Amino acid sequence: AAPFLRLRPAMNYRHAYHAGNFGDVLKHAVLALAIEHLKGKAAPFRVIDTHAGTGMTDLAGVEAERTLEWQGGIGSLIGPGAPPLPDAIAAILGSYLDQVRAANPVARLSVYPGSPAIARGLLRASDRLLLSELHPDDCASLRALMRRDSRVKVLDEDGFAALRGLLPPPERRGLVLIDPPYEEKNELGRVARELGEALKRFATGAYLVWYPIKDLAPVSAFYR
């Protein structure tokens, strides 16, 4: 499968402030479509998320309440007051929105599932999910969310360092999601280098890279 490349709006990270906004809707819809594509074959596959976060965000929490960005994202698609989606759009977003609804069984948006929760919800019994999260508190929350699921392994490691040891996956089929916080200088350059190394190890994998467009010079260098 060809690598997937998608854009994110310029923003300051911590993800809880932006959970469920329009950028998350785009990222997670593409993630769901990529996983569904892999499920088109019976052979098992592995999803690797290099910077997984907590896996679930409380939309009534302090961070999400401060920005309310989710109201212009997932809140405009499902929940009270959201208009019906055209059939063609509903078909494209179906798997993604099903996962959001599954996390909110009382038909009210109270939490937003991150990429780990969405990926896990779409896996088959034979598929596997590898999640890396370096922040201790976030990693603890992620482990609690994923407990008792034998298909999932959570690593408290730097996502890029972990990726080098995870490729190629035993299944020889898979998707790698790379979405670091972009708080370090020239982190986009590191993404380019790590992606190049990953392709050497696992050239037939699918790669979904999420990155900011704040300055066109480093983005142009990333494209090259």
Side-chain angles (χ1 to χ4, degrees):
F4 293 87
L5 297 179
R6 289 297 183 267
L7 316 182
R8 84 185 295 167
M11 62 172 67
N12 293 321
Y13 207 84
R14 185 170 182 117
H15 185 257
Y17 288 101
H18 315 289
N21 71 1
F22 75 95
D24 258 5
V25 170
L26 170 62
K27 176 173 66 174
H28 293 141
V30 172
L31 174 64
L33 288 169
I35 293 174
E36 292 292 3
H37 177 74
L38 287 169
K39 288 162 64 177
K41 292 183 179 179
F45 61 84
R46 186 165 300 218
V47 177
I48 299 172
D49 190 339
T50 62
H51 299 77
T54 63
M56 194 75 69
T57 300
D58 180 4
L59 295 178
V62 173
E63 297 91 344
E65 278 282 300
R66 183 174 297 177
T67 63
L68 296 177
E69 288 185 15
W70 64 271
Q71 293 184 355
I74 190 60
S76 66
L77 297 178
I78 62 176
L85 293 174
D87 290 344
I89 301 300
I92 293 171
L93 298 181
S95 293
Y96 157 63
L97 294 179
D98 285 348
Q99 296 305 310
V100 179
R101 293 188 182 101
N104 295 275
V106 296
R108 180 178 65 85
L109 277 171
S110 59
V111 297
Y112 183 78
S115 52
I118 290 171
R120 180 177 68 167
L122 294 172
L123 294 184
R124 302 165 301 185
S126 60
D127 302 323
R128 296 293 180 265
L129 176 61
L130 267 293
L131 305 170
S132 186
E133 177 51 52
L134 187 59
H135 190 285
D137 292 340
D138 289 356
C139 187
S141 297
L142 185 63
R143 280 206 168 104
L145 181 67
M146 297 294 166
R147 67 184 182 276
R148 302 190 188 96
D149 194 329
S150 61
R151 302 171 302 169
V152 183
K153 184 175 182 180
V154 178
L155 306 173
D156 54 348
E157 300 179 28
D158 173 79
F160 290 128
L163 186 61
R164 299 184 199 114
L166 295 173
L167 299 179
E171 298 83 0
R172 303 288 169 162
R173 298 184 67 229
L175 169 69
V176 178
L177 171 61
I178 301 174
D179 180 21
Y182 294 101
E183 294 176 325
E184 301 295 330
K185 185 177 181 180
N186 198 33
E187 195 154 21
L188 191 57
R190 187 181 183 190
V191 170
R193 293 191 300 274
E194 297 292 348
L195 181 58
E197 290 299 315
L199 284 165
K200 292 177 185 177
R201 291 177 169 87
F202 187 35
T204 58
Y207 296 83
L208 196 162
V209 181
W210 199 241
Y211 58 95
I213 300 179
K214 299 178 180 179
D215 184 342
L216 291 182
V219 172
S220 296
F222 175 68
Y223 290 161
R224 289 195 298 272

